[in-house]
Amino acid sequence: MAKETKDYSKYFDFSDAKVISEDERGKKIRIRGREIQILSEPNHRIEKQRGKEDIQVLYENAIPEELQHIGVGKHYIVYTFGCQMNEHDSETIKGMLEQMGYRATEDRKEADIILLNTCAIRENAEDKVFGELGHLKGLKTEKPDLLLGVCGCMSQEEGVVNRILQKHGFVDMIFGTHNIHRLPRLIQEALFSKEMVVEVWSKEGDIIENLPKKREGMRAWVNIMYGCDKFCTYCIVPFTRGKERSRRPEDVIAEVRELARQGFKEITLLGQNVNAYGKDFTDMNYTLGDLMDDIHKIDIPRIRFTTSHPRDFDDRLIEVLAKGGNLVEHIHLPVQSGSSEILKRMSRKYSREHYLELVRKIKIAIPDVVLTTDIIVGFPGETEEQFEDTLSLVREVGYDFAYTFVYSPREGTPAAAMEDNVPMEVKKERLQRLNALINEQSRIGNEAMRGKIVEVLVEGESKNNANVLSGRTRSNKLVHFEGSKDLIGTFVQIEITDPMTWYIKGNIVSEPIKECI
């Protein structure tokens, strides 16, 4: 059973709330002395629906002229929790704030607006956000004009929003994943009304192009699609991100071309289920393989994508990736479990055999491919034999790295209603055994690189030693080496001298092969 601490039912008691007014714009309520303007709120039933409505593509200016100076002389902080999609959303949020005149700061006491862009996929991510809100309460008391906002996937959950309304009334704004482009108007509403503003769309909106983005470094993320229609039983994403909808290829290609002109060295194409790209198009037959083939011709040194689903990984995509060039030989291919029975209970819609056959085809087409994955241990009903199936699959595939997790139920998912009958001590013991195997394989994969010369994109100084630089290979392996700081942002050739488990060490054998941006 799910933990009692995650039962949000107590937060649905609004007996002490008073409705002040209600019109076509929403309703205004008062809870414990705080007035709240609810423009729209999450509805789990509506989030489950997958309608036939056409998704429009809008090319509008997100920042109205009258709001382009509202933040002049003010500062912002955006804290990001979760996946690359959240990171990319934060780039958009920062871009809009800067077009409104706000400037970034790392000093909380200097900030005029602090936004928490949240993740709902695991319980500890939620715990971190509520812990952060607790820390920010004192700052809000000291600086009442500070705007505090919660956005992202957690905001799409009914229980979370109601918990904030009941227990964290000092928050000023709550908005979701579908209406990020509405941020300037929500800031305006919160500033001038002095009320908490809640606007969370339960149904995904249109695709908004031309939103500003604040990108940093030499790597860029490019969203190519939104949402997920897979409905794995443990996953909240199809509810928080909505149905699958793909950006038009011409818009994606134009954005990538512009990033190439700006000098970015690496592009990662993003989607919750990235290789379902194009399956919602009704006017053309154009898939992720076709998009990768077109982007392959653009002069950017490295192209990646994440995260893929084995069910949608087709032969066309394999054929294109085998062309190499700027299409890197690293593929992240989440398996979640090595047991067909558990995969069925997870509603992953493929079997162990199907996954292994896909891996076989990929390895034939791309002999030097590096595979990484996601794995959940302790899913409801997982037996020791089924866990051993996972270990044997890991050995057979030979992953170089894996993100591994102990299963935790998410409110609103089908798995949350299943009997969570694997004891926590068993889950942790299995996780340790799995991680030991992954570490062993990672070390073996790294050891195979000893003496080889590899291309490394230099990202910056090592976190632990300012005299050491770090960067990544095409296969996304972390490399540490000594070198001048002016190499940051360039490609260098590194001879691998000392493979470790989590990273590899090496020495420079050539001058930079690309200019720094």
Side-chain angles (χ1 to χ4, degrees):
M1 290 178 61
K3 293 185 194 175
E4 287 186 5
T5 54
K6 305 312 289 183
D7 177 10
Y8 290 136
S9 60
K10 59 184 176 181
Y11 298 118
F12 287 80
D13 177 14
F14 286 90
S15 56
D16 57 344
K18 179 181 180 182
V19 177
I20 300 172
S21 62
E22 190 166 2
D23 56 28
E24 67 279 356
R25 291 186 68 246
K27 61 184 177 182
K28 185 181 294 187
I29 65 175
R30 183 182 290 121
I31 300 178
R32 299 177 184 175
R34 182 78 197 267
E35 291 191 358
I36 301 167
Q37 181 70 45
I38 299 180
L39 304 178
S40 59
E41 55 193 321
N43 184 301
H44 187 65
R45 179 185 57 79
I46 295 176
E47 286 176 344
K48 285 183 176 180
Q49 297 172 359
R50 289 295 186 270
K52 298 289 186 181
E53 309 88 7
D54 289 334
I55 300 295
Q56 292 186 322
V57 182
L58 304 179
Y59 302 87
E60 60 186 39
N61 184 359
I63 316 297
E65 188 173 347
E66 68 271 20
L67 299 182
Q68 291 180 7
H69 305 287
I70 200 170
V72 171
K74 298 179 180 180
H75 297 85
Y76 73 86
I77 298 176
V78 178
Y79 292 116
T80 309
F81 304 81
C83 66
Q84 293 97 332
M85 190 70 76
N86 284 31
E87 294 281 358
H88 185 56
D89 286 346
S90 288
E91 289 181 341
T92 301
I93 290 169
K94 292 174 184 178
M96 287 192 288
L97 289 171
E98 299 216 347
Q99 281 201 5
M100 296 173 71
Y102 289 95
R103 290 295 173 259
T105 182
E106 294 182 4
D107 183 355
R108 291 186 174 191
K109 293 185 178 179
E110 187 182 30
D112 299 280
I113 179 170
I114 298 178
L115 297 177
L116 277 57
N117 187 10
T118 64
C119 172
I121 200 164
R122 288 180 184 88
E123 183 177 330
N124 64 344
E126 278 192 16
D127 293 340
K128 286 181 182 178
V129 171
F130 283 115
E132 197 63 56
L133 282 177
H135 296 315
L136 290 169
K137 183 176 182 180
L139 183 63
K140 176 70 173 177
T141 303
E142 294 174 15
K143 191 175 181 180
D145 289 339
L146 169 68
L147 282 186
L148 285 180
V150 178
C151 59
C153 291
M154 273 177 62
S155 300
Q156 295 291 150
E157 297 187 74
E158 291 178 27
V160 168
V161 171
N162 286 310
R163 179 176 176 179
I164 294 173
L165 295 184
Q166 290 279 24
K167 300 292 184 181
H168 303 276
F170 54 91
V171 170
D172 297 289
M173 292 187 299
I174 305 173
F175 60 100
T177 61
H178 306 316
N179 61 328
I180 288 175
H181 62 288
R182 288 268 302 155
L183 176 60
R185 290 296 187 193
L186 300 179
I187 290 174
Q188 180 189 37
E189 185 87 30
L191 280 175
F192 294 116
S193 72
K194 303 295 183 184
E195 301 164 350
M196 183 193 293
V197 178
V198 179
E199 183 179 89
V200 181
W201 295 356
S202 294
K203 290 296 288 180
E204 62 281 334
D206 298 316
I207 293 176
I208 313 294
E209 294 288 346
N210 300 338
L211 291 177
K213 296 173 181 65
K214 184 184 180 183
R215 291 182 167 105
E216 298 173 294
M218 73 290 296
R219 299 187 299 169
W221 291 306
V222 175
N223 223 127
I224 67 170
M225 67 175 301
Y226 306 90
C228 181
D229 288 345
K230 287 295 179 285
F231 287 98
C232 300
T233 56
Y234 56 82
C235 187
I236 199 71
V237 167
F239 309 118
T240 62
R241 290 284 179 174
K243 71 178 181 182
E244 292 173 353
R245 53 259 191 242
S246 304
R247 292 178 64 195
R248 301 297 296 182
E250 59 269 23
D251 293 328
V252 175
I253 291 168
E255 183 175 353
V256 173
R257 288 191 186 281
E258 178 57 30
L259 292 171
R261 282 191 287 270
Q262 293 175 21
F264 282 90
K265 301 293 191 286
E266 182 174 301
I267 301 293
T268 301
L269 305 182
L270 285 183
Q272 253 77 37
N273 182 21
V274 70
N275 48 346
Y277 175 81
K279 294 192 173 184
D280 55 319
F281 291 147
T282 57
D283 60 336
M284 68 173 98
N285 183 17
Y286 190 92
T287 65
L288 178 61
D290 300 313
L291 181 65
M292 295 288 284
D293 204 18
D294 285 338
I295 293 178
H296 172 58
K297 301 161 189 169
I298 299 174
D299 186 21
I300 283 187
R302 292 180 179 177
I303 306 291
R304 305 182 185 276
F305 63 90
T306 197
T307 289
S308 58
H309 193 292
R311 189 182 176 206
D312 291 325
F313 212 111
D314 57 29
D315 292 344
R316 168 64 173 156
L317 180 56
I318 296 174
E319 171 198 341
V320 171
L321 293 178
K323 295 181 179 182
N326 59 358
L327 304 180
V328 301
E329 52 278 1
H330 167 238
I331 297 174
H332 189 67
L333 193 63
V335 66
Q336 307 302 357
S337 173
S339 162
S340 291
E341 293 87 353
I342 293 296
L343 290 172
K344 185 175 182 180
R345 203 172 302 154
M346 289 178 168
S347 193
R348 290 291 286 174
K349 301 180 176 67
Y350 57 82
S351 66
R352 172 193 177 95
E353 292 71 27
H354 173 273
Y355 185 92
L356 290 173
E357 173 62 17
L358 174 60
V359 168
R360 186 190 67 82
K361 289 196 290 186
I362 290 173
K363 287 186 174 182
I364 289 173
I366 313 167
D368 54 349
V369 69
V370 168
L371 294 172
T372 56
T373 196
D374 298 340
I375 299 173
I376 297 172
V377 301
F379 191 77
E382 182 187 67
T383 64
E384 178 62 24
E385 182 181 4
Q386 289 165 340
F387 173 68
E388 288 289 347
D389 286 342
T390 295
L391 294 181
S392 68
L393 181 137
V394 168
R395 294 189 190 96
E396 187 167 346
V397 174
Y399 299 108
D400 277 58
F401 181 77
Y403 295 99
T404 59
F405 309 95
V406 165
Y407 169 75
S408 64
R410 308 305 300 128
E411 180 200 15
T413 62
M418 299 178 185
E419 184 183 2
D420 189 8
N421 56 0
V422 181
M424 182 54 69
E425 59 269 23
V426 174
K427 291 180 182 178
K428 290 182 177 179
E429 188 270 339
R430 288 176 183 173
L431 184 67
Q432 289 177 349
R433 287 158 60 195
L434 174 62
N435 286 340
L437 176 58
I438 295 292
N439 293 348
E440 177 186 331
Q441 290 190 335
S442 178
R443 186 63 182 258
I444 292 171
N446 289 346
E447 185 64 40
M449 298 180 69
R450 185 187 293 273
K452 292 185 177 180
I453 295 174
V454 296
E455 175 194 270
V456 173
L457 175 56
V458 188
E459 298 178 355
E461 298 176 4
S462 166
K463 293 179 180 178
N464 300 320
N465 188 341
N467 296 319
V468 174
L469 298 178
S470 68
R472 292 193 179 270
T473 66
R474 287 171 54 88
S475 58
N476 211 36
K477 289 181 180 288
L478 182 63
V479 181
H480 287 177
F481 58 95
E482 292 185 0
S484 170
K485 291 180 177 56
D486 60 7
L487 294 176
I488 295 173
T490 70
F491 288 95
V492 294
Q493 298 292 312
I494 300 291
E495 181 179 7
I496 303 306
T497 59
D498 194 4
M500 312 292 280
T501 300
W502 303 111
Y503 63 95
I504 47 185
K505 295 180 181 179
N507 297 321
I508 297 177
V509 296
S510 77
E511 293 301 311
I513 57 177
K514 295 285 182 183
E515 291 300 316
C516 181
I517 59 173

